[in-house]
Every structure is written in structure tokens, then in C-alpha cells.
Amino acid sequence: MKRIFKNIGPATLVAAAFIGPGTITICTITGASFGYTLLWAMVLSMLATIILQEMAARLGLITGKGLSDIVRNQISSKPIKIGMIVLMISAIFVGNAAYEAGNISGGVIGLEVLSGTAWYQPLLVGCCAFALLMVGNYKVLERVLIALVVLMGISFIAVAIAIKPNYSAVLEGLFKPSFQEDQLLLILGLIGTTVVPYNLFLHASLVKEKWNNHTDLKYVRWDTIISVILGGMVSMAIIIAASGLQGQDINSPADLARSLEPVYGSFSTTIFAIGIIAAGITSAITAPLAAAYVVQGCLGWNRDLRNWRFRMVWMLVLGTGVLFASIGFKPIQVITFAQVANGLLLPIMAVILLWLVNTNILDTYKNNIFLNIMALAVVLVTLFLGGKTIASVAGIL
């Protein structure tokens, strides 16, 4: 057990990425709107995350390459290869730019709660993320993000326990799925905020920073399982804590902060602000980092966090996020849109991943029948939800 926890690492950055402002916002709205009834969607999201992230991490460990490197090397047809590279770069850049705007907006929510609205707040959050990324040291990033995630998690888990929820109702929400038309976007948002597409690329690249031997696969798996479960528990705790707001409108940062009142009372606003600033910064680091890894692999650059081309990519994504967070959109709307965009992008990335883990590059580490069935189920569910959402938005349903 001691050895397992010593090897916890890369997947904590995955958890740091999905426990961001999007998670806090979507989970709070879910709890306030529907109580415990959508907890099952978080269980589904956790299972899907573990399945997909394990496959991505396994690819990274066994091949020693990132997902985009592998895709580029696996396709022999030049036109198809170029098309796939354009698709990956475009999808990840657009998705990460939207996600980054949500991350920056989340940090801004915290600053607004503490000091009121100011034009420079998106830039301030962006500068914090910029400084940490410029360090260019994986171990420093890992430790900072773990500390920030722990800071966020403790508060919401404490609240979820303190409000003394109806545990039978919680269990029913966890294991008795319900599905109504007006819950569709929230369900997709819960999946999109947990199974983050760019995390697949990030995880495959980061395992190489910690492990090099095939025999370390068991630690990679434990790292993934433990980190995702702990992250999912935090998300569920936010939903449970927010159930106390049921029937109330969530329109402003102060509305979100009310979910912490059962434990922190008059200090709830300050604690919430600190937590969501931490959430914004953690995710504001991982989204640009993942985009840079994708472009690096697609274009065949050398793997180096301090490479100027690598830095230019994450600077572009970070700058885009700051720009969109600064031009007047309401933070909660930006965050919600980012999560739905992630949910729509996920099936594309899941299909690419499923194809890769069944190629000969993994030799004896290829997917078995059970893993393929589980992964295919995840793809089908995300395709169904994504299709329903597009149809709903288009006014077809």
C-alpha cells in the first residue's frame, strides 16, 4: 500500500483538471435543481473516466509516446494522416480554448466574490497559470496541483457530511438512473466535466514523466483508479452539498457559495472563493499543457516542457481563454458551455483511443474482450447523449 501511494502522480493532474470551476458549477446547479437524482450520472462518469484514462495511460507507458505521436505514426496514408492531424489539433484547440475560458471565468468568480468585479481579474488568473507553466518542471506542477485539489475537496466533503443528507435517497440517486428531457444538458455536462477529452492526451504524455518500465503498469492503474475515485467523490459531495439549495435559482457567484453555509456560516463566501480560485488555476494549467502535448506529438517536436514551440502553444490557448473570459460573457454561462462542448467532443476522442488500444503497437498489452465491451459502451453512451443534445439545440426535439 505504501508503494502504491508513493507512485500516485500523473492521474492526480487528471483529477485536478476535472475538479475545476466547471465541476463546481455544474454539480452545484445539478444538486440545486434535482437533488440527488443525478448522482448516477457521476457514477457513470467515473467508470467511463477510469476505463478511458487507463487505456490512454497504458498506451503512453508501453509505447513511450503520446496519443498524437502514435496516431501520426500509425497512419500510413498521407492524406488520412494530414486529415487526422488537422482534426486532432482543431478539436483539441477549440475544446481547450472553450474549457480554458471556463477555467479563467471560474477563477474570476472567486475574485469577484472576494473583491467585486474588475476588468483585470481574468488577466490576473491567467498570469498565475502562466507563472506555474513557465517553471517547466513536472514535479513542481504535480505538487502544486495536488495541494490545490486537496484544498478544494476537504471543504465540499465536510459540507456533504455536515448537512446530514438522507442516505437512502443518496443511494437511490447513485444506483437508480432517472432520465428526463430537461435533465439532458446537465447529464452531458456532468459527463463532460469528468471525462475530459484532453485528459486522454495529457495522461498518456505524463506517465512518461514518472515511469519507463512496462512492469510499472500496475502502479499506473492504481494511480488512475485512486485519483479518479477521489475526484469523483468530491464531485458527488458538491452535488449533495448543493441539494440544500434545491428550489433556488443559481444566477451569481454568491448563489454558489451558499452551498457551504451549513459548515462555514458567514465565512462560506470566503471559503468558496478560495476554493474556486484554486479550481480555476489547476484547470487553467492542465488545459494549455494538454494542447501543447497534442501539437507536439502531431508535428513530431522533441518532448521538452521548456521548448519554445511547446510554450508558444500553451501560451496561445491560455491567451485565448483569458480573451474570451474578458469580453463580457457571464462566467456561469461560459463554464456550462465548455462542459457541454467537452461532452460533444468526447466520442471522437474515445473512438480514436479505442482504435489505438487494439492495434499491434501494444503487443500483449492490447485490450481484451471485456475492456473492449466496456469502452464500446462508453462510446455508445456518449454518442447517444451528444446526438440528443445536438438535436435538442437544433430544435428538432
Side-chain angles (χ1 to χ4, degrees):
M1 185 62 68
K2 182 179 179 181
R3 185 175 295 179
I4 288 173
F5 278 98
K6 182 180 178 181
N7 280 281
I8 293 295
T12 56
L13 273 74
V14 171
F18 76 70
I19 307 176
T23 297
I24 295 175
T25 303
I26 292 290
C27 289
T28 301
I29 293 172
T30 299
S33 301
F34 300 105
Y36 313 132
T37 58
L38 293 183
L39 283 171
W40 64 268
M42 277 307 309
V43 176
L44 174 65
S45 299
M46 288 166 61
L47 290 173
T49 302
I50 290 172
I51 291 167
L52 295 178
Q53 294 295 158
E54 186 278 334
M55 292 193 298
R58 181 163 26 111
L59 274 166
L61 178 70
I62 302 304
T63 65
K65 299 176 182 177
L67 291 187
S68 49
D69 295 85
I70 299 169
V71 171
R72 179 171 55 86
N73 293 328
Q74 281 294 107
I75 300 175
S76 56
S77 170
K78 190 172 182 179
I80 296 176
K81 180 185 295 189
I82 293 173
M84 187 62 73
I85 288 174
V86 171
L87 173 65
M88 285 192 296
I89 292 178
S90 301
I92 287 296
F93 182 82
V94 171
N96 282 23
Y99 203 78
E100 188 69 355
N103 297 332
I104 300 296
S105 296
V108 169
I109 285 177
L111 292 174
E112 287 178 351
V113 169
L114 289 177
S115 59
T117 303
W119 66 268
Y120 57 82
Q121 288 169 337
L123 186 60
L124 183 60
V125 176
C127 286
C128 290
F130 179 88
L132 287 169
L133 284 167
M134 278 300 290
V135 171
N137 186 304
Y138 166 73
K139 289 184 177 180
V140 171
L141 289 176
E142 180 183 272
R143 289 168 184 167
V144 169
L145 294 180
I146 289 174
L148 291 174
V149 168
V150 169
L151 176 66
M152 290 183 291
I154 289 174
S155 289
F156 284 105
I157 291 174
V159 173
I161 295 172
I163 65 172
K164 298 179 180 178
N166 182 333
Y167 289 105
S168 62
V170 169
L171 288 173
E172 184 176 346
L174 286 169
F175 302 110
K176 187 179 178 181
S178 63
F179 187 90
Q180 299 174 19
E181 203 66 39
D182 60 346
Q183 297 173 335
L184 182 62
L185 286 178
L186 277 179
I187 292 171
L188 189 68
L190 288 171
I191 293 173
T193 196
T194 308
V195 197
V196 183
Y198 75 71
N199 270 345
L200 301 174
F201 292 90
L202 183 64
H203 201 178
S205 296
L206 289 178
V207 292
K208 300 176 296 182
E209 303 285 349
K210 194 173 185 75
W211 298 293
N212 295 304
N213 198 309
H214 293 191
T215 59
D216 291 324
L217 182 58
K218 57 182 177 295
Y219 299 122
V220 173
R221 285 172 168 160
W222 276 113
D223 177 39
T224 302
I225 293 169
I226 291 172
S227 297
V228 172
I229 288 176
L230 291 177
M233 288 175 62
V234 173
S235 298
M236 289 187 208
I238 296 171
I239 293 174
I240 294 170
S243 65
L245 302 177
Q246 202 163 355
Q248 303 179 38
D249 291 330
I250 305 297
N251 297 311
S252 70
D255 296 331
L256 296 174
R258 289 202 307 269
S259 64
L260 296 177
E261 286 181 0
V263 170
Y264 298 107
S266 60
F267 294 101
S268 62
T269 301
T270 301
I271 298 296
F272 168 82
I274 294 172
I276 201 166
I277 289 171
I281 292 174
T282 57
S283 296
I285 291 170
T286 53
L289 192 61
Y293 274 124
V294 171
V295 175
Q296 176 191 62
C298 285
L299 301 182
W301 298 343
N302 292 330
R303 182 164 59 93
D304 183 2
L305 292 177
R306 294 185 175 89
N307 182 285
W308 69 268
R309 292 178 297 188
F310 186 90
R311 285 178 165 171
M312 287 297 293
V313 175
W314 65 249
M315 285 180 190
L316 181 60
V317 174
L318 178 59
T320 303
V322 171
L323 175 63
F324 279 102
S326 303
I327 58 179
F329 292 115
K330 291 182 179 179
I332 290 179
Q333 292 176 344
V334 173
I335 291 169
T336 303
F337 169 77
Q339 305 317 311
V340 173
N342 266 346
L344 296 175
L345 180 61
L346 176 62
I348 299 172
M349 299 306 166
V351 168
I352 293 174
L353 181 61
L354 186 57
W355 163 59
L356 290 175
V357 292
N358 282 284
T359 59
N360 291 327
I361 55 173
L362 287 183
D363 195 21
T364 58
Y365 294 94
K366 287 194 296 186
N367 263 21
N368 55 34
I369 294 176
F370 175 73
L371 284 174
N372 275 331
I373 292 173
M374 297 293 288
L376 184 60
V378 172
V379 171
L380 292 176
V381 169
T382 55
L383 279 171
F384 170 74
L385 290 172
K388 291 276 285 183
T389 301
I390 292 172
S392 297
V393 172
I396 296 176
L397 296 179

